[in-house]
Short mmCIF file of all heavy atoms in Angstrom, two decimals:
data_model
loop_
_atom_site.label_atom_id
_atom_site.label_comp_id
_atom_site.label_asym_id
_atom_site.label_seq_id
_atom_site.Cartn_x
_atom_site.Cartn_y
_atom_site.Cartn_z
N HIS P 179 104.51 -107.60 121.98
CA HIS P 179 104.12 -106.94 120.69
C HIS P 179 103.71 -107.99 119.71
O HIS P 179 104.09 -109.06 119.88
CB HIS P 179 105.25 -106.05 120.12
CG HIS P 179 106.36 -106.90 119.52
ND1 HIS P 179 107.49 -107.40 120.19
CD2 HIS P 179 106.47 -107.11 118.27
CE1 HIS P 179 108.16 -108.12 119.37
NE2 HIS P 179 107.66 -107.86 118.07
N GLY P 180 102.90 -107.52 118.76
CA GLY P 180 102.56 -108.46 117.72
C GLY P 180 103.19 -108.12 116.45
O GLY P 180 103.62 -106.99 116.19
N SER P 181 103.21 -109.02 115.52
CA SER P 181 103.75 -108.70 114.16
C SER P 181 102.97 -109.53 112.99
O SER P 181 102.42 -110.65 113.36
CB SER P 181 105.22 -108.83 114.10
OG SER P 181 105.63 -110.17 114.53
N ALA P 182 103.15 -108.98 111.81
CA ALA P 182 102.51 -109.69 110.79
C ALA P 182 103.28 -109.34 109.45
O ALA P 182 103.85 -108.17 109.37
CB ALA P 182 101.04 -109.21 110.57
N ALA P 200 104.45 -105.43 109.49
CA ALA P 200 104.06 -104.49 110.47
C ALA P 200 104.24 -105.11 111.86
O ALA P 200 104.28 -106.45 111.99
CB ALA P 200 102.38 -104.27 110.48
N ALA P 201 104.51 -104.25 112.90
CA ALA P 201 104.65 -104.66 114.18
C ALA P 201 103.90 -103.61 115.08
O ALA P 201 103.95 -102.43 114.84
CB ALA P 201 106.01 -104.65 114.65
N VAL P 202 103.13 -103.98 116.11
CA VAL P 202 102.45 -103.16 117.06
C VAL P 202 102.60 -103.63 118.39
O VAL P 202 102.45 -104.71 118.74
CB VAL P 202 100.87 -103.22 116.65
CG1 VAL P 202 100.12 -102.35 117.70
CG2 VAL P 202 100.65 -102.78 115.24
N ALA P 203 103.01 -102.52 119.21
CA ALA P 203 103.03 -102.80 120.68
C ALA P 203 102.10 -101.87 121.43
O ALA P 203 102.01 -100.65 120.94
CB ALA P 203 104.52 -102.48 121.21
N TYR P 244 93.68 -97.32 111.72
CA TYR P 244 94.43 -98.05 110.75
C TYR P 244 94.20 -97.53 109.31
O TYR P 244 95.04 -97.56 108.49
CB TYR P 244 94.24 -99.60 110.90
CG TYR P 244 94.92 -100.10 112.10
CD1 TYR P 244 94.54 -101.30 112.70
CD2 TYR P 244 95.89 -99.49 112.89
CE1 TYR P 244 95.15 -101.90 113.73
CE2 TYR P 244 96.40 -100.01 113.98
CZ TYR P 244 96.06 -101.14 114.51
OH TYR P 244 96.72 -101.70 115.56
N ARG P 278 95.45 -104.65 106.82
CA ARG P 278 95.35 -106.03 107.11
C ARG P 278 96.56 -106.50 108.08
O ARG P 278 96.32 -107.18 109.10
CB ARG P 278 95.53 -106.92 105.87
CG ARG P 278 94.06 -107.22 105.32
CD ARG P 278 94.38 -108.23 104.09
NE ARG P 278 93.32 -107.91 103.09
CZ ARG P 278 93.38 -108.49 101.85
NH1 ARG P 278 94.30 -109.24 101.52
NH2 ARG P 278 92.39 -108.07 101.04
N ALA P 279 97.73 -105.98 107.74
CA ALA P 279 98.90 -106.26 108.51
C ALA P 279 98.84 -105.68 109.88
O ALA P 279 99.19 -106.24 110.83
CB ALA P 279 100.10 -105.77 107.74
N LEU P 280 98.25 -104.42 109.97
CA LEU P 280 98.28 -103.77 111.17
C LEU P 280 97.25 -104.59 112.18
O LEU P 280 97.45 -104.72 113.31
CB LEU P 280 97.81 -102.31 111.03
CG LEU P 280 98.95 -101.37 110.52
CD1 LEU P 280 98.41 -99.99 110.11
CD2 LEU P 280 100.05 -101.20 111.67
N ARG P 281 96.08 -104.93 111.60
CA ARG P 281 95.01 -105.62 112.36
C ARG P 281 95.63 -106.93 112.91
O ARG P 281 95.45 -107.31 114.01
CB ARG P 281 93.75 -105.88 111.53
CG ARG P 281 92.88 -104.60 111.40
CD ARG P 281 91.44 -105.09 110.99
NE ARG P 281 91.41 -105.64 109.65
CZ ARG P 281 91.27 -104.99 108.49
NH1 ARG P 281 91.07 -103.63 108.56
NH2 ARG P 281 91.20 -105.53 107.36
N GLU P 282 96.28 -107.71 111.97
CA GLU P 282 96.85 -108.90 112.36
C GLU P 282 97.95 -108.80 113.43
O GLU P 282 98.07 -109.69 114.25
CB GLU P 282 97.41 -109.67 111.13
CG GLU P 282 97.65 -111.19 111.40
CD GLU P 282 98.32 -111.70 110.08
OE1 GLU P 282 97.97 -111.41 109.01
OE2 GLU P 282 99.26 -112.53 110.33
N ALA P 283 98.61 -107.64 113.38
CA ALA P 283 99.83 -107.46 114.23
C ALA P 283 99.34 -107.06 115.69
O ALA P 283 100.12 -107.07 116.54
CB ALA P 283 100.76 -106.51 113.67
N THR P 284 98.10 -106.50 115.71
CA THR P 284 97.58 -105.99 117.01
C THR P 284 97.58 -107.05 118.09
O THR P 284 96.82 -107.96 117.78
CB THR P 284 96.33 -105.21 116.83
OG1 THR P 284 96.45 -104.32 115.75
CG2 THR P 284 95.88 -104.43 118.04
N PRO P 285 98.32 -106.88 119.11
CA PRO P 285 98.31 -107.97 120.12
C PRO P 285 96.95 -108.17 120.96
O PRO P 285 96.05 -107.26 120.93
CB PRO P 285 99.19 -107.53 121.24
CG PRO P 285 99.81 -106.18 120.74
CD PRO P 285 99.06 -105.80 119.56
#
Side-chain angles (χ1 to χ4, degrees):
Chain P
H179 79 275
S181 54
V202 176
Y244 287 163
R278 272 184 213 164
L280 286 167
R281 279 198 298 268
E282 195 186 320
T284 306

